[in-house]
Amino acid sequence: MDDHKVTYREQTDIQNTLKLREVLKTLPPFCKDYFRGMSSTTTTRTRISYAYDIRLFFQFLQENNPSLKNIPMSEIPISVLDQVKAVDIEEYMEYLTVYSDHEEKLKTNSERGLKRKISALRSFYAYYYKHEMIQTNPTVLVDVPKIHQKSIIRLDTDEVAMLLDYIEHCGDSLTGQKRVYYEKTKERDLALVTLLLGTGIRVSECVGLDVEDIDFHNNGIKVTRKGGNEMVVYFGEEVERALKNYLTVREGITPVAGHEHALFYSTQRRRIGVQAVENLVKKYARQITTTKKITPHKLRSTYGTALYQETGDIYLVADVLGHRDVNTTKKHYAAMDDARRRQAAGAVKLREE
């Protein structure tokens, strides 16, 4: 056995791969080709979410097609794909707005969720059409749902200061068990929120950090970006201070076996999970603002906005946030350009007074 350290990303990939195998057992056998075909160009996370989406499509077909009702999903032949018409896809989109999953729970989809499920179906059909296993591709005849841009929710400068102050001092008003729990997690929570606000990294990147990824010599952290690329993101003095304070507390924690490298520990002494970080951000932010729903992603937007306002360099913002396409960044921060454009109006003099 080599002493290769299994990274958080590798661990997640293994779990997703095992989950995908389970889902594939419930799908028609021809689906395996599609998922094998996309394995070199997608992440395991994308594949598992596409698998759930494709399963949902077959569920819809079974519920709405009497001839498929009585056969198991795993026995549906590929010829069924050729029987689906554009109008069926439109009905499927309508179905997606409210449906019951296989555990009979009611589910709904936002514009974004709807778009992803139709994109999954398009890619699914395109694969079999391209490989000449089916004759028709009705998905190209249907428009993909349009996504309306929402305005970015972020914390204002004074709210950022209030949030950090609150995490640092709210223990003064607590008593008993709550006080004990707060004291136990205070340095961790402060380091976590300061890091998210001071670097704009994603919550998944944050929980994936190992203690060896911090370099105080250059004040940088090595993060594994969404697509798997590694990148060093730099941080300032406030983040450095918060991390160092937490690390002294961390030294006193004996982690559960297999979690020794994790930077942030849960109260169970394991690597903290995405859900736990989302909960703690929500918990603290609720005390600062009741009108904004603040999530770790909103802290990322807060950082992106501040960086853009300070530098005016959209390419730098895209690079630091790890956006592969600068248009993603532009879409998010375009509203702030309006004020700049107004300045432009008076900046150029056409004639001397």
Side-chain angles (χ1 to χ4, degrees):
M1 189 68 186
D2 66 355
D3 55 357
H4 164 69
K5 175 175 73 122
V6 178
T7 64
Y8 170 73
R9 189 186 171 78
E10 289 167 337
Q11 193 58 53
T12 313
D13 282 346
I14 290 167
Q15 286 165 348
N16 284 341
T17 304
L18 295 174
K19 264 192 221 162
L20 181 59
R21 280 183 196 162
E22 289 308 305
V23 179
L24 280 174
K25 284 179 189 165
T26 64
L27 289 171
F30 64 84
C31 294
K32 283 199 180 75
D33 299 333
Y34 167 67
F35 286 100
R36 204 179 304 115
M38 73 190 300
S39 64
S40 59
T41 54
T42 50
T43 63
T44 55
R45 189 173 159 201
T46 300
R47 293 199 288 283
I48 187 72
S49 64
Y50 269 36
Y52 291 135
D53 294 345
I54 299 302
R55 180 165 71 184
L56 188 57
F57 176 65
F58 283 115
Q59 178 187 312
F60 161 78
L61 290 181
Q62 285 191 303
E63 284 177 23
N64 292 277
N65 188 327
S67 66
L68 297 176
K69 264 201 173 71
N70 301 321
I71 62 168
M73 191 181 287
S74 57
E75 287 174 24
I76 292 177
I78 195 165
S79 57
V80 163
L81 296 184
D82 266 324
Q83 294 164 22
V84 175
K85 302 281 175 266
V87 63
D88 300 317
I89 307 280
E90 283 167 355
E91 272 178 26
Y92 174 55
M93 281 161 71
E94 206 286 313
Y95 170 83
L96 286 174
T97 53
V98 184
Y99 62 92
S100 299
D101 65 7
H102 59 290
E103 289 165 2
E104 295 305 310
K105 281 195 197 127
L106 258 195
K107 296 267 191 165
T108 59
N109 271 294
S110 61
E111 289 177 341
R112 208 165 280 280
L114 203 60
K115 185 170 180 178
R116 198 198 72 197
K117 287 179 174 60
I118 296 302
S119 297
L121 191 60
R122 274 192 148 181
S123 133
F124 185 68
Y125 258 91
Y127 175 84
Y128 296 103
Y129 188 72
K130 189 173 136 194
H131 289 80
E132 298 181 343
M133 293 152 98
I134 55 175
Q135 268 72 56
T136 56
N137 183 356
T139 63
V140 294
L141 305 172
V142 175
D143 292 330
V144 176
K146 198 171 167 52
I147 290 185
H148 296 88
Q149 281 308 322
K150 291 196 185 96
S151 62
I152 299 185
I153 295 173
R154 49 184 167 248
L155 292 172
D156 304 328
T157 317
D158 57 333
E159 290 172 326
V160 168
M162 282 160 65
L163 177 63
L164 295 173
D165 286 346
Y166 180 77
I167 299 173
E168 212 163 1
H169 302 297
C170 71
D172 303 347
S173 58
L174 299 172
T175 52
Q177 252 338 93
K178 279 188 171 168
R179 177 79 188 243
V180 174
Y181 182 81
Y182 163 76
E183 290 299 343
K184 200 172 159 183
T185 60
K186 171 184 156 181
E187 297 302 343
R188 179 201 69 187
D189 294 355
L190 193 57
L192 249 166
V193 175
T194 308
L195 180 65
L196 290 169
L197 279 167
T199 60
I201 60 173
R202 296 177 177 92
V203 63
S204 58
E205 293 163 351
C206 178
V207 300
L209 288 172
D210 287 339
V211 70
E212 298 87 355
D213 294 331
I214 309 179
D215 165 18
F216 284 116
H217 182 64
N218 296 301
N219 270 9
I221 42 168
K222 187 174 77 183
V223 293
T224 305
R225 289 298 191 192
K226 228 164 146 182
N229 298 330
E230 284 185 352
M231 175 181 169
V232 175
V233 173
Y234 296 96
F235 54 80
E237 285 170 18
E238 291 169 285
V239 175
E240 177 189 5
R241 212 169 30 245
L243 282 173
K244 283 181 171 169
N245 289 343
Y246 164 65
L247 286 173
T248 55
V249 174
R250 186 185 173 279
E251 278 168 19
I253 300 171
T254 311
V256 171
H259 294 261
E260 297 84 357
H261 296 281
L263 172 58
F264 292 112
Y265 290 134
S266 68
T267 44
Q268 283 80 42
R269 310 195 316 281
R270 299 170 176 275
R271 180 185 294 278
I272 198 166
V274 170
Q275 192 69 57
V277 177
E278 286 178 343
N279 291 344
L280 76 89
V281 167
K282 233 177 267 177
K283 175 182 80 174
Y284 289 123
R286 217 180 283 136
Q287 304 301 322
I288 305 307
T289 168
T290 50
T291 54
K292 298 176 183 176
K293 261 179 77 178
I294 298 298
T295 61
H297 199 80
K298 305 290 190 295
L299 301 185
R300 180 169 155 81
S301 301
T302 301
Y303 173 78
T305 304
L307 183 62
Y308 187 47
Q309 281 171 339
E310 283 300 316
T311 64
D313 185 341
I314 200 79
Y315 292 95
L316 175 68
V317 177
D319 185 42
V320 175
L321 290 179
H323 287 160
R324 271 179 295 199
D325 181 0
V326 75
N327 287 319
T328 309
T329 325
K330 278 186 178 153
K331 216 162 51 192
H332 285 300
Y333 301 106
M336 291 163 20
D337 273 338
D338 198 47
R340 292 190 125 83
R341 282 193 211 108
R342 284 174 193 280
Q343 286 173 352
V348 178
K349 293 276 178 278
L350 302 181
R351 285 196 269 187
E352 290 302 322
E353 292 295 321

